[in-house]
Amino acid sequence: MTAAEGLVQERIWFDKPRYDEAERQFYARMNGPTQHKQDTGANSILQDIARARENIQKSLAGLKTTLQPSRGSAPKISNPSHRSSPSGGDGAADYGELKARMKNLELENQSLHKVVEDLRSALSKMESRVSALEKRSIRPAVNGTSPAPPQKAPPTPAKEEEEDEDEDDIDLFGSDEEVDKEAERLKEQRLQEYAAKKAKKTALIAKSSILLDVKPWDDETDMAKLEECVRSVQVDGLLWGASKLVPVGYGIKKLQINCVVEDDKVGTDFLEEEITKFEDYVQSVDVAAFNKI
């Protein structure tokens, strides 16, 4: 299939002006009647585009009627030598006319591209102007400014005398000391209230639960006496709890005793030192468990 026959079968250009006209009407409705004066240049450009496209459509329609074969007979495609030979006069004339029309279409296409570019530039300029106008209208509201209030009329002499008397009654120097004294009094009162509230609050005491393993020397050690020695350790912040004997092996039992201590007053090192002082009964002291309360 030659380029001319392919161009004849192409149908997109025949319906395109309708779509362009519909698009133009859509944008005309979107812009509204208030922008009619601003869009006159754009409308004239769109009319030029529509006229150019109508000319293209007419040219293609004439080309189609020229190259369309008659009904009932299939088109016969001959080789290029027969098509360009001088013996086929009608074919050569049609080919020359087709070539001329194709050149005209190319020129019109170029001019159409130029018109479209001009239209785009005009629309971009119009959009920039509209955006600039919108920014100018929004800027006073954003900045929080308002129109200048109307100027007041100058006061009469009687009003000026009354204002002068009111200003004379105002003490501009004695009020600062009174304000300072009042502020100091309020400050001291609030500090006293805060100190009283802080004194009423009871401080939280950190406590811990400790489980000790006290091991004797051998199985002949008196475990009752050993427990008595351990409980004899009494200091502020120490409270002994339950105890039991746990078998270790070979008949030897260890004393497992619980106690609650205040972290700021009693520590594990202190307990180990005090309990190991009973050398006749205690071999060693280990901390089996340590938990914060």
Side-chain angles (χ1 to χ4, degrees), residues 85-230:
S85 60
S87 58
D90 296 336
D94 293 339
Y95 182 74
E97 185 179 358
L98 176 61
K99 190 174 181 181
R101 289 186 178 181
M102 288 181 66
K103 288 183 180 180
N104 293 330
L105 288 174
E106 289 178 357
L107 293 175
E108 290 178 356
N109 193 14
Q110 291 178 1
S111 63
L112 183 61
H113 279 297
K114 186 177 180 181
V115 171
V116 170
E117 291 296 331
D118 294 339
L119 178 61
R120 287 179 179 175
S121 62
L123 288 174
S124 63
K125 290 179 181 178
M126 192 179 302
E127 289 177 356
S128 63
R129 290 178 181 175
V130 171
S131 62
L133 291 174
E134 289 178 353
K135 289 179 180 179
R136 289 178 183 175
S137 61
I138 294 172
R139 189 175 300 167
V142 173
N143 295 334
T145 58
S146 59
Q151 295 181 356
K152 295 182 179 179
T156 60
K159 291 183 178 179
E160 289 182 355
E161 292 178 359
E162 292 178 358
E163 291 177 357
D164 293 338
E165 292 177 358
D166 294 337
E167 290 178 357
D168 294 338
D169 294 338
I170 297 172
D171 188 3
L172 299 177
F173 300 97
S175 60
D176 292 339
E177 295 180 358
E178 294 178 359
V179 171
D180 293 340
K181 290 180 181 180
E182 184 68 18
E184 289 293 334
R185 188 181 65 79
L186 291 174
K187 184 177 179 181
E188 292 177 359
Q189 183 180 355
R190 289 175 182 175
L191 288 174
Q192 291 175 1
E193 292 177 356
Y194 175 74
K197 289 181 181 179
K198 190 174 181 182
K200 290 180 181 179
K201 291 183 179 179
T202 57
L204 296 176
I205 300 173
K207 295 182 180 181
S208 301
S209 175
I210 303 174
L211 185 64
L212 298 175
D213 285 344
V214 184
K215 297 178 183 178
W217 288 102
D218 51 22
D219 57 345
E220 296 179 356
T221 304
D222 187 359
M223 299 302 294
K225 186 66 176 176
L226 186 145
E227 183 178 355
E228 183 181 351
C229 293
V230 171

Side-chain angles (χ1 to χ4, degrees), residues 245-256:
L245 297 177
V246 180
V248 178
Y250 302 102
I252 301 174
K253 296 181 180 180
K254 65 179 179 180
L255 175 65
Q256 198 170 67

